[in-house]
Amino acid sequence: MDQEFSGKVVLVTGASRGIGAEMARQFAGRGATIAVHYHVDLKTAEKVLNSLPGESHFILQADLADPQSPGSLVTKVVERTGRLDVLVNNAGVWLAHPIAEASFEEWRSSWDRIVGADLLGPAHLCFHAAQVMIEQGGGKIINISSRGAFRGEPSAPAYAAAKAGLNAMSQSLAQALAPHGVSVFAIAPGFVETDMGAILLDGPEGASIRAQSPLNRVGRPEEIARVALFLAGEGTDYLTGCIIDANGASYLRT
């Protein structure tokens, strides 16, 4: 087994399914101790925990849209392990709220929930994780963004706005934390084969979505996880502040 992350502690949010679950498995497979965060589905989180190699992993529940939860989550990780080496801000929500169809209540509720979970939650986690990483002399923060931050999300503008904010925050924190040995990165996937994307991928739009990439497919969770493992590894400090497009050339930024 590759022990590249032996002795390292990795907190993966939204680790009970999809990309987060795969990241937890791949980090664990390389020797890391994983804090498996979930929001509501304990059973799926337990399945992920039981699938991880090693015996030191654990589950933590938190609603990251609650401003008090991120600090408590980081505190629990450090109380249990004594450190935090890698934070992966993967948890997020997507809700449709097309402006021409939604009521104002639906519009406002969607903005509150999405921005709270997809931007403010990660921002507060970054703050608390950074304090620990500064104290211990370094660490890595990886924020999972979206190609929607660049191409727009007409049915879910709050999602695009939150992810764009996540990108800007990642670049700002990369500059602020570099003197402390903390690197900050963002990964911008396109559509990925997860239950979050299944509603569209399994519907009438599925073929056209796959055709957006010259590979004629969407991403796989393991492909996004491998990017995170690379960034979290040794020798990537000079990449701090980068935003990596991992979307099969379905959207190329200029």
Side-chain angles (χ1 to χ4, degrees), residues 58-59 74 120 127 132 149 171 211 218 234 252:
F58 54 99
I59 292 176
V74 170
L120 295 180
F127 175 86
V132 175
Q171 294 177 321
V218 299
E234 298 296 327
L252 293 174

Side-chain angles (χ1 to χ4, degrees), residues 17-20 191-199 201 218-221:
R17 61 180 189 170
I19 295 171
F191 275 94
V192 180
E193 291 176 349
T194 66
D195 55 353
M196 188 174 179
I199 294 175
L201 292 173
V218 299
R220 304 182 183 103

Side-chain angles (χ1 to χ4, degrees), residues 122-123 126-127 130 141 143 167-179 182-184 240-241:
C126 284
F127 175 86
I141 297 174
N143 294 317
N167 288 343
M169 182 191 71
S170 300
Q171 294 177 321
S172 298
L173 296 185
Q175 296 178 67
L177 294 174
V182 180
S183 299
V184 186
T240 192

Side-chain angles (χ1 to χ4, degrees), residues 54-144:
E55 300 178 351
S56 58
H57 317 298
F58 54 99
I59 292 176
L60 292 173
Q61 188 278 335
D63 176 3
L64 298 180
D66 175 355
Q68 302 305 315
S69 290
S72 176
L73 185 62
V74 170
T75 295
K76 289 175 182 177
V77 172
V78 175
E79 285 178 346
R80 180 148 181 167
T81 66
R83 61 186 302 109
L84 175 58
D85 299 285
V86 180
L87 166 64
V88 181
N89 269 317
N90 167 74
V93 298
W94 188 98
L95 297 170
H97 49 284
I99 192 168
E101 302 171 22
S103 68
F104 178 68
E105 178 57 30
E106 291 169 335
W107 174 267
R108 185 198 60 76
S109 175
S110 295
W111 275 87
D112 286 349
R113 184 176 175 193
I114 292 170
V115 172
D118 293 8
L119 179 56
L120 295 180
H124 300 333
L125 266 172
C126 284
F127 175 86
H128 292 289
Q131 311 313 307
V132 175
M133 293 175 180
I134 290 170
E135 178 75 19
Q136 69 190 19
K140 303 286 183 75
I141 297 174
I142 301 169
N143 294 317
I144 306 303

